[in-house]
Amino acid sequence: MQKILILTAGFGNGHNAAAFGLRDGLEASSEDVQVEVLDLFKICYGKVNDWVTQVYLGMVGLMPRVWAEVYQVLDRTSILEKQMMHFTRLKSILEDILKSSDPDAVVSTHPAYNYVIEQIYKDHSKRPFSQMTVVTDSISVNSVWYASPSDYYFVPNRLTADIMIKAGVPMEKVLPFGFPVTPRFCELSGRNGSADRADGRKHIVYIINTGKKKAGRIIDQLLELPNIRLTITCGADPKLKGKMLARTEAVRDRVRVLGWTSQMPEILCSSDLVITKAGGAVIQEAIAARAPIIINQVIPGQEEGNAKLVEQLGIGAVAVDDDALLAAVHEALEDDGRLLSQWKQALESHSHPDAALQIAKFILHESESPEPRSGEKSAAIFSTRKIVTQPAAGYSEKRTLLCDFHTHTKYSDGKLTVPELVDFYGVRGFDCLCVTDHLAEKRRMVGKLSNLSNLTLPWGQIDEYFEVLEREKKRAWKKYDMILMTGLEFNKDGWSKKSSAHLLGLDLKTPVNPDHDLKTLIHLIHAQGGLAVASHPHEMKSVWGKNTLFLWENQDEFVPLLDAWEIANRDDIFNPVGLKRLPFLANSDFHKPKHIYSWKTLLSCEKHPEAIKQCIRRNRDISITLYREPVGEAVPRLREPWLSEMDLGGSHRDPAQSRTELEVA
Ligand code: ZN
Ligand code: ZN
């Protein structure tokens, strides 16, 4: 078993994208590898780091020129070195991690780590692992990348390689494998989306940046162009999405508006042109997808290299104001898209959708130890990854299973993506997790509620949701021995609490149309072997809890139909469900990391989806528990580079602060 540690940083230019892309590449390349991604800045400097990121983003937004100068100053290594002297906490934590986890290779996607590792092994013998670096910069390569030693540097392209070699890095250490985008680009690169283009329209993808939301006018203008289809992505910003939907209502047949999506590889691979800011990750993904690029925003300093790259490779253009952008799109499309074809042609030779797999192969080969390693040291940060292929195999004995059947992801109003949620529950040793994103009726309700409905899973993304969960089921089982189920929370919101109901459908195989009435929904859930559960059926005490009492008010009709009722939802506990002896479940209604400290269900049955469902239906061998982090709490925390300490900090929230956030419950 090889152990690979990837070090990343949440701020700056594409470090996380490279880290997670490479992780996926490594896990796809070998059954016999353990990979962990850590963001030590987040772990060591928690709130300070958030603050730095905020200041950094603020500075970039408000005073781009000032930032450019700061970036120049940082390029002088001596100053950076002084800064680094303050990184003692990071150094001692990294030292501990390296000693206790004993990795075969350490890969950094941020240059600071090479410096820290150099300091750790300065007075000692040789470091006992291979050290490699994924350089995420293109063209303007900050010298900190190669100021400290590394066995190899993986760089995104030939141009970057030449610059580093010219600066004195030995040629044999610089490997232009490409930027390690997720291997899904590689899977998709065979298809060319021609089926999508039967209508002869060019497919333009417009990615709205969080910093630049005034995109309405330019989108109207783009839509005046003949023969285009437009996909607009708004990120996790329901308000913006609502506005864009309203704005493009009249041309729905050729405009698609998406909120947060995990299908960027599919979207980019089916596009003819991408309009975006010059962010490191998205530019590299577009290159991998062979999609020509027009850049409409460049952060001075760190993103300038990406913009230059697009121009120098001849794969697109830079046009930073609306008029220039419109002119650039015109130019690209005229003469039957002559320029667009040239860009596309140039992309053929610069696109490396398989970079993560190539780099993974190299790392695995380089870090292979000739003789068996001296005893398996306490794997510390590395999770035990069992090689079991089917849930059915080898699990016949009864055991107590820790379960959560009500959780939300970014597909509705949750804070984590599906893979992040799986990792979050997986490292905590959960046995069964059901993801239940909100699904509202397709018929939109008027007024305020239409905004809220953007916090629910859009019907247009329902297939994507099932696909992503299907993919994650395999990974959850393989990596964590955890059963993952696909579920939905049907929001049946009326105008009062007595006419509102939330219904959970657990372990669904196919989507269920949310427009049906509650009884039909329950039948359809049962028809595919799923469970129908009443979600928070009684009065909630918590500040933002939504009161949904319809099912409770109509018990005579619904008790015979439902499989269980939530007796506890996050912090709330509903005594009447117990007093009435109704079949029960307890769930966290998880939306963000601190919701983990909440009520959960324990089942005593076989670890198999059918056994779990049967156990709930019978409602025997079932109990509830209030979850707290187990001893050794630091371990899961280390593994969650996307979380800040604030996210995990304690179960008591400040009610005033909570109310400012929007959540459907
Ligand atoms: Zn709910
Ligand atoms: Zn919920």
Side-chain angles (χ1 to χ4, degrees):
M1 182 70 80
Q2 277 170 281
K3 289 184 283 186
I4 316 288
L5 174 62
I6 301 176
L7 299 170
T8 183
F11 49 83
N13 209 354
H15 309 295
N16 277 348
F20 288 104
L22 182 56
R23 177 193 69 175
D24 293 350
L26 283 160
E27 288 184 347
S29 300
S30 169
E31 281 285 313
D32 210 26
V33 63
Q34 289 180 321
V35 192
E36 289 296 337
V37 178
L38 296 183
D39 178 350
L40 293 184
F41 290 100
K42 199 129 220 177
I43 293 160
C44 298
Y45 303 106
K47 281 179 190 171
V48 180
N49 181 50
D50 284 347
W51 183 79
V52 170
T53 309
Q54 285 301 316
V55 169
Y56 157 81
L57 290 174
M59 207 153 74
V60 166
L62 296 172
M63 302 174 285
R65 275 292 132 206
V66 176
W67 171 244
E69 273 160 40
V70 172
Y71 195 77
Q72 290 307 314
V73 170
L74 274 179
D75 201 14
R76 278 176 245 145
T77 319
S78 60
I79 291 186
L80 189 89
E81 217 160 292
K82 249 186 216 147
Q83 288 300 312
M84 288 298 198
M85 296 309 283
H86 300 299
F87 284 14
T88 44
R89 179 144 184 248
L90 196 149
K91 186 181 152 198
S92 79
I93 288 183
L94 183 56
E95 196 165 2
D96 281 353
I97 289 172
L98 291 173
K99 295 237 164 84
S100 62
S101 64
D102 193 22
D104 298 285
V106 176
V107 184
S108 39
T109 65
H110 188 280
Y113 294 114
N114 290 353
Y115 176 85
V116 180
I117 292 172
E118 185 185 13
Q119 299 307 307
I120 292 173
Y121 291 94
K122 199 165 59 178
D123 311 319
H124 309 274
S125 53
K126 200 172 159 288
R127 59 181 146 74
F129 49 82
S130 321
Q131 187 191 346
M132 304 181 218
T133 307
V134 177
V135 176
T136 56
D137 283 354
S138 291
I139 300 192
S140 54
V141 188
N142 195 305
S143 63
V144 291
W145 280 106
Y146 45 86
S148 300
S150 172
D151 297 337
Y152 294 99
Y153 298 92
F154 306 108
V155 301
N157 50 62
R158 197 67 252 171
L159 290 170
T160 314
D162 291 343
I163 289 169
M164 287 180 57
I165 293 165
K166 217 177 256 173
V169 182
M171 195 187 285
E172 65 280 6
K173 287 188 164 201
V174 184
L175 306 168
F177 281 135
F179 186 99
V181 294
T182 165
R184 277 167 67 206
F185 283 96
C186 187
E187 291 162 28
L188 291 163
S189 65
R191 317 177 202 168
N192 59 11
S194 54
D196 299 351
R197 287 173 211 171
D199 60 1
R201 288 174 170 156
K202 294 282 184 223
H203 179 204
I204 299 181
V205 176
Y206 193 108
I207 301 173
I208 303 182
N209 322 310
T210 33
K212 205 176 183 183
K213 291 182 185 167
K214 288 201 175 71
R217 200 173 61 90
I218 183 72
I219 279 165
D220 293 346
Q221 289 171 328
L222 286 174
L223 283 169
E224 285 169 19
L225 295 168
N227 279 327
I228 66 150
R229 278 192 301 128
L230 198 59
T231 297
I232 303 168
T233 66
C234 306
D237 187 341
K239 258 196 201 153
L240 177 65
K241 188 184 164 194
K243 273 191 208 160
M244 283 298 152
L245 276 170
R247 191 152 191 144
T248 54
E249 189 71 61
V251 280
R252 187 60 65 240
D253 60 320
R254 56 194 191 103
V255 180
R256 181 166 58 146
V257 179
L258 299 174
W260 182 86
T261 171
S262 68
Q263 300 296 87
M264 271 327 265
E266 285 78 0
I267 294 167
L268 292 174
C269 285
S270 73
S271 74
D272 297 297
L273 177 65
V274 180
I275 300 171
T276 176
K277 91 194 258 278
V282 67
I283 296 294
Q284 295 298 340
E285 287 178 349
I287 292 174
R290 300 192 175 96
I293 306 157
I294 295 182
I295 290 173
N296 66 347
Q297 190 191 355
V298 185
I299 294 172
Q302 59 155 350
E303 283 185 2
E304 277 168 2
N306 302 328
K308 272 189 213 153
L309 179 75
V310 168
E311 288 182 320
Q312 287 192 22
L313 297 181
I315 56 169
V318 179
V320 291
D321 63 67
D322 284 1
D323 292 338
L325 175 59
L326 198 62
V329 176
H330 261 290
E331 207 190 328
L333 296 180
E334 69 191 3
D335 289 344
D336 204 20
R338 194 179 40 82
L339 183 56
L340 205 56
S341 306
Q342 280 175 23
W343 290 344
K344 194 117 191 154
Q345 190 66 37
L347 274 161
E348 291 297 324
S349 55
H350 297 299
S351 173
H352 303 284
D354 61 344
L357 298 171
Q358 297 298 342
I359 296 174
K361 221 159 85 184
F362 186 91
I363 293 172
L364 291 169
H365 180 261
E366 261 323 287
S367 61
E368 218 168 28
S369 47
E371 70 259 33
R373 301 169 61 79
S374 54
E376 284 299 307
K377 265 197 195 174
S378 68
I381 59 156
F382 290 98
S383 45
T384 37
R385 185 175 164 201
K386 277 205 182 170
I387 309 296
V388 186
T389 44
Q390 283 300 318
Y395 283 100
S396 51
E397 84 276 27
K398 264 190 179 183
R399 37 184 292 197
T400 302
L401 308 179
L402 177 59
C403 312
D404 196 344
F405 298 101
H406 185 169
T407 61
H408 298 272
T409 72
K410 277 196 175 172
Y411 275 111
S412 58
D413 55 344
K415 292 276 184 275
L416 303 186
T417 64
V418 175
E420 285 167 358
L421 189 78
V422 165
D423 288 335
F424 190 87
Y425 276 81
V427 296
R428 285 172 173 76
F430 273 73
D431 297 287
C432 182
L433 166 69
C434 186
V435 177
T436 53
D437 273 309
H438 299 284
L439 190 61
E441 287 173 61
K442 286 179 279 170
R443 303 185 291 260
R444 285 253 172 117
M445 270 168 281
V446 282
K448 252 180 146 180
L449 285 175
S450 72
N451 228 351
L452 269 184
S453 70
N454 287 324
L455 289 169
T456 63
L457 172 64
W459 184 249
Q461 276 181 282
I462 191 89
D463 291 333
E464 167 185 336
Y465 175 77
F466 273 76
E467 252 175 69
V468 167
L469 276 157
E470 210 46 54
R471 197 160 62 216
E472 283 296 307
K473 270 177 204 178
K474 299 194 187 90
R475 194 177 69 89
W477 184 255
K478 195 165 152 188
K479 187 159 183 173
Y480 301 113
D481 244 358
M482 179 172 76
I483 292 173
L484 179 66
M485 291 179 176
T486 306
L488 287 168
E489 180 173 21
F490 297 91
N491 289 27
K492 289 285 185 185
D493 294 320
W495 294 107
S496 70
K497 54 186 178 181
K498 289 197 177 175
S499 65
S500 297
H502 283 189
L503 175 73
L504 296 174
L506 309 183
D507 198 31
L508 301 177
K509 306 292 179 256
T510 53
V512 179
N513 183 339
D515 291 340
H516 291 295
D517 63 46
L518 279 162
K519 282 184 189 165
T520 312
L521 282 178
I522 295 170
H523 289 310
L524 290 172
I525 292 166
H526 286 157
Q528 46 173 296
L531 299 182
V533 177
S535 180
H536 40 81
H538 209 264
E539 294 276 356
M540 307 257 268
K541 298 282 192 300
S542 48
V543 262
W544 54 18
K546 179 166 175 51
N547 282 314
T548 45
L549 306 181
F550 180 81
L551 293 169
W552 186 258
E553 293 288 319
N554 295 278
Q555 278 173 59
D556 294 350
E557 290 172 65
F558 286 98
V559 167
L561 296 177
L562 290 168
D563 297 292
W565 300 66
E566 276 187 341
I567 194 167
N569 175 290
R570 199 178 306 158
D571 301 322
D572 284 283
I573 194 146
F574 311 116
N575 297 337
V577 172
L579 290 169
K580 293 247 178 181
R581 305 271 169 98
L582 295 175
F584 64 86
L585 269 189
N587 294 317
S588 59
D589 204 346
F590 182 101
H591 285 75
K592 56 174 118 178
K594 62 184 171 192
H595 293 166
I596 192 72
Y597 306 111
S598 62
W599 291 99
K600 305 281 182 285
T601 301
L602 292 173
L603 300 176
S604 178
C605 66
E606 263 177 65
K607 191 164 175 174
H608 186 280
E610 294 308 320
I612 287 171
K613 284 187 289 183
Q614 193 50 24
C615 187
I616 295 170
R617 287 188 199 107
R618 291 177 57 228
N619 234 245
R620 297 278 182 272
D621 295 320
I622 181 168
S623 55
I624 69 173
T625 183
L626 187 55
Y627 181 85
R628 292 292 179 261
E629 211 79 270
V631 185
E633 181 220 350
V635 174
R637 193 181 283 202
L638 280 175
R639 291 211 191 95
E640 285 149 8
W642 59 86
L643 304 178
S644 71
E645 275 175 25
M646 227 155 55
D647 291 331
L648 272 171
S651 53
H652 300 286
R653 57 176 97 94
D654 165 15
Q657 192 197 338
S658 317
R659 253 181 256 121
T660 61
E661 295 177 48
L662 207 52
E663 185 181 298
V664 193

